[in-house]
Amino acid sequence: MQASVGIQLRMIINCPRNTAMNILQMLLAFALLFMLVTPAFADEVTVYTVSIKDHKFDPAIVEIPSGKKAKLLVKNLDSTPEEFESHDLKREKIVPGNGEITVLVGPLKPGEYKFFGEFNEATAQGKIVVK
Amino acid sequence: MLATAIILFREVLEISLILSVVLVATRGIPGRMRWIWLGIGGGALGSALIALFAQNIASAMEGVGQEVFNACILLAAAAMIGWTVIWMQTHGRELSAKFNNVGKSVREGETPLYVLAVVISLSIWREGAEIVLFMTGILSTTQDSLLSIMTGGMLGAVAAATIGLLIYFGLLKLSVRHLFSTTGILLTLLAAGLTAQAAGYLSAAGLIPDLIPELWDTSAILSTENLLGSIAHSLLGYTERPSGVQLLFYVVTLGFITLMTRKYAPQKSVK
């Protein structure tokens, strides 16, 4: 059994590349198509700025109207990187030190959506309140 | 020190789980270790580079560069793993009967093992970049001593590597005992999990719709915050709160790989 797996894998390598390349090409084309067909993110979207200073979010509570798309502009005023993360919003993104990132959120239903800085979870806590 | 340990543990765990699956899938191939180490080396180097260009990547593509970059890495890794599974399943039986010259196989099998290195590098880049960024950040500002940070990091990394090893031996035992190709199933689930994650990043970038924002929330039953959930996430693609499009990617990947395997399967299997 063990030998045959090794042999099987050796065989992959020697097989004609045609079909494999076709599959790869198909996947890439599919991905590209998706990106081209999907309309680009609208420009008239409200931007909410949140700063990170001393590993804390400021403001820690952001209010956003429900049912609308929004952008969070996270500015890292610290010199060390942070990872902006939220399970509620399903977002995970690195904010470089002295850098900034934009996080697309919404449309969201009313409620509270917590976010945190994974690198400094003890102090970097915040939430989006959607009314 | 604890914070460092926890973060390093999480990141290294994801890497070591993928490594375990790849190692189990490739056991028995001569010369694979060289490529595996190459993959790890490329992963480490790439992580440092990505960390260096973090701000550039983040600002790219109107601010969603990071998401698109992550999605591309995940999709590329999934595609290569999928390709590996399909050929493994379709040609294994047919050719193992004819094949009996070990020396020949070594010569023929060696060059294209780069696929292995590429998959490993890709898998390391994402988590690796985070590790590099975190470590550089914490080293420059922390109140803790350097020793305490390094110790915490080592503890976390070693603990995660140990779990990875345990999983490796567990999977090894599993694949020896069962007749059907456990390896193929493991790799297929891994690939499906990767595409589901990619879907998450693409929808975070606003490039694809969520379809349904949250299909279910099983975080109470199995949370990805704990160890078991993390393992389920990396090995099976378990997501505690998946969106509609994530499930779609997952199912389509499973279906596609399985279908292609069946389509190219040998007509008759004579043992």
Side-chain angles (χ1 to χ4, degrees), chain B residues 104-175:
Chain B
K104 184 173 179 227
S105 77
V106 170
R107 264 180 284 119
E108 282 183 334
E110 253 186 51
T111 337
L113 275 171
Y114 70 81
V115 171
L116 214 65
V118 175
V119 169
I120 291 175
S121 285
L122 288 170
S123 308
I124 291 178
W125 284 350
R126 251 186 342 116
E127 307 303 326
E130 288 186 18
I131 293 175
V132 174
L133 281 167
F134 171 71
M135 290 305 282
T136 54
I138 207 155
L139 283 171
S140 58
T141 60
T142 190
Q143 312 281 41
D144 293 345
S145 71
L146 180 66
L147 182 69
S148 141
I149 297 288
M150 296 310 270
T151 314
M154 287 302 291
L155 279 173
V158 167
T162 311
I163 306 269
L165 260 170
L166 287 171
I167 299 277
Y168 171 72
F169 286 116
L171 292 176
L172 212 60
K173 260 199 180 155
L174 203 75
S175 62

Side-chain angles (χ1 to χ4, degrees), chain B residues 252-268:
Chain B
V252 167
T253 307
L254 278 182
F256 181 77
I257 295 179
T258 312
L259 266 168
M260 293 301 274
T261 302
R262 298 260 163 90
K263 182 182 175 200
Y264 288 99
Q267 299 292 45
K268 243 189 184 169

